[in-house]
Amino acid sequence: MGTSRTWTGTVALVVALLAFGRRHAEAGCAEKGHCCPGRDSTCTSIGWRINRAYGTCFCDEACKLTGDCCYDYVQACPAVPCIAGEWSHWSGCAEQCKPNFRMRTRSIQQEPKNGGEACPPLEERAGCLEYITYEGQDCGKEHVPAFITSSEYNKERTKRGVNPNWSSEPEDSRSYCVEFKTESLSPHCSVENRPYARWMQYLREGYTVCVTCQPPAMHTSTLRCSGDGINADGSKILHWQAVGNPSCYGTWKKVQKLEECSCPLVHSFIFT
């Protein structure tokens, strides 16, 4: 009778120990309720790691880099990517009457968690050039070289807001296009990879490009854009500069003036 009781007690103890051992071995982030940001050496549990080792495992974001996460880290602490809001409208140029930058921003709506995808850039800049001073005076005649930018800029530029002298003119009624053959350019153009400045990569030596002249880059008196080279013959070397990167510049020769551009979009630009 005593032997039977002892045997039963021993079996119960072994079962209890096995159950405890199983629970202990399977302990992880969920059981501990751990999901710690950054690197936290105290954010630990005991159990199997994702690298199949047993012992102390971690439930902090850094464990994905060090490879010592608890086996259930991915399930218990799912990655949450950064979520950024919509871009704001482009600002005006930082300065009037000289090549400069316009800017737009966006905010973070959801911070990344548990190793989720990091936040994208929250600020972008693009080249611009405005021809009206804060006092309303026209300063476009100060520019002699051809300052150019992507044709996409025109979508952001409001004629009425920049130069009220054009408010009564039908949109693009006086615009024209000039074809140029690029003779030379600095090496800084081809390596430009910033957002809204990658258009500079399409400037290539020997290529024909189209540049549109339209308000407000067009002078109200001459109805022309600075640096358009209309009065130059096809042998004259003319200079241009990309607005947004003063290190991207070069020379070209005028091919012809057109009422409408015929170049592909990637080789079409506007005078700024």
Side-chain angles (χ1 to χ4, degrees):
M1 191 77 161
T3 302
S4 176
R5 267 197 218 133
T6 301
W7 174 252
T8 301
T10 300
V11 171
L13 178 61
V14 170
V15 171
L17 289 172
L18 288 174
F20 174 78
R22 188 179 298 110
R23 289 195 304 272
H24 188 66
E26 294 178 356
C29 301
E31 183 171 318
K32 289 286 188 176
H34 286 337
C35 283
C36 306
R39 183 181 296 274
D40 187 345
S41 59
T42 66
C43 192
T44 63
S45 185
I46 300 294
W48 291 104
R49 297 178 179 176
I50 57 175
N51 61 4
R52 299 183 181 180
Y54 180 81
T56 301
C57 57
F58 292 81
C59 302
D60 60 343
E61 289 180 324
C63 74
K64 297 182 74 173
L65 298 176
T66 54
D68 51 10
C69 298
C70 295
Y71 73 95
D72 67 340
Y73 176 79
V74 174
Q75 291 76 30
C77 308
V80 177
C82 176
I83 299 177
E86 296 293 327
W87 286 108
S88 67
H89 294 295
W90 284 103
S91 68
C93 278
E95 294 183 68
Q96 272 64 46
C97 305
K98 63 181 295 186
N100 213 290
F101 292 97
R102 58 197 171 107
M103 185 176 68
R104 66 177 184 173
T105 60
R106 57 183 171 182
S107 59
I108 297 175
Q109 295 182 340
Q110 170 66 62
E111 294 282 356
K113 295 180 181 179
N114 306 326
E117 185 177 352
C119 293
L122 302 178
E123 178 182 299
E124 283 188 348
R125 292 186 175 189
C128 62
L129 179 59
E130 293 182 357
Y131 293 88
I132 300 298
T133 66
Y134 292 118
E135 293 75 26
Q137 297 177 337
D138 189 343
C139 56
K141 296 179 181 178
E142 298 176 11
H143 304 288
V144 177
F147 288 103
I148 63 170
T149 190
S150 166
S151 57
E152 293 294 314
Y153 175 44
N154 189 52
K155 296 179 180 180
E156 302 290 340
R157 182 168 59 185
T158 304
K159 298 182 179 64
R160 184 184 295 271
V162 176
N163 191 338
N165 294 333
W166 295 100
S167 61
S168 60
E169 290 289 328
E171 187 171 352
D172 297 330
S173 64
R174 298 175 182 261
S175 66
Y176 60 89
C177 177
V178 183
E179 287 187 356
F180 297 95
K181 182 178 180 182
T182 307
E183 296 290 314
S184 67
L185 70 161
S186 66
H188 298 280
C189 304
S190 60
V191 297
E192 178 61 79
N193 58 8
R194 291 174 298 167
Y196 287 86
R198 295 192 182 101
W199 60 270
M200 299 178 194
Q201 297 178 2
Y202 295 104
L203 291 161
R204 290 284 188 273
E205 189 173 312
Y207 279 35
T208 297
V209 299
C210 294
V211 188
T212 299
C213 175
Q214 57 191 194
M218 181 186 292
H219 301 311
T220 55
S221 57
T222 63
L223 302 181
R224 287 180 48 190
C225 291
S226 297
D228 62 5
I230 287 182
N231 293 332
D233 58 42
S235 63
K236 185 175 182 180
I237 297 293
L238 305 169
H239 296 268
W240 57 267
Q241 179 178 315
V243 175
N245 181 358
S247 297
C248 177
Y249 57 86
T251 60
W252 56 25
K253 292 180 179 179
K254 185 195 73 174
V255 177
Q256 61 180 330
K257 175 187 174 183
L258 300 169
E259 293 304 317
E260 294 184 6
C261 291
S262 59
C263 295
L265 182 61
V266 293
H267 298 303
S268 296
F269 311 100
I270 61 172
F271 290 102
T272 57

